[in-house]
Amino acid sequence: MVIASHRQCQPDIFEFADIIYREPTDIIEASDTQFSTNSIIPRWQFVLEQTKKNNIKVLFTGRNGIYYEV
């Protein structure tokens, strides 16, 4: 099973995935009053939670791997 996630719509990443997750963007527009900063979690934390939830054994992080190595 392939699970893919990204913060943007990425057809090249999502094309062959069985499950797709949209990651939080970490950034809230000043004009966006729909969300409070307390409800947004960092992307790495979102990905970690999905990894645990889905019992994922291998994680390919692309260029942002430094944030996940810790």
Side-chain angles (χ1 to χ4, degrees), residues 13-50:
I13 294 174
F14 297 154
E15 182 177 2
F16 299 106
D18 299 303
I19 299 173
I20 298 169
Y21 291 108
R22 287 289 299 268
E23 300 170 10
T25 61
D26 289 342
I27 299 171
I28 301 174
E29 296 294 327
S31 63
D32 190 352
T33 58
Q34 181 181 357
F35 300 102
S36 72
T37 53
N38 294 335
S39 64
I40 302 298
I41 63 172
R43 282 186 319 201
W44 69 264
Q45 187 175 355
F46 173 84
V47 171
L48 179 61
E49 288 176 7
Q50 299 309 316

Side-chain angles (χ1 to χ4, degrees), residues 3 9 50 57:
I3 299 173
C9 182
Q50 299 309 316
K57 302 294 184 203

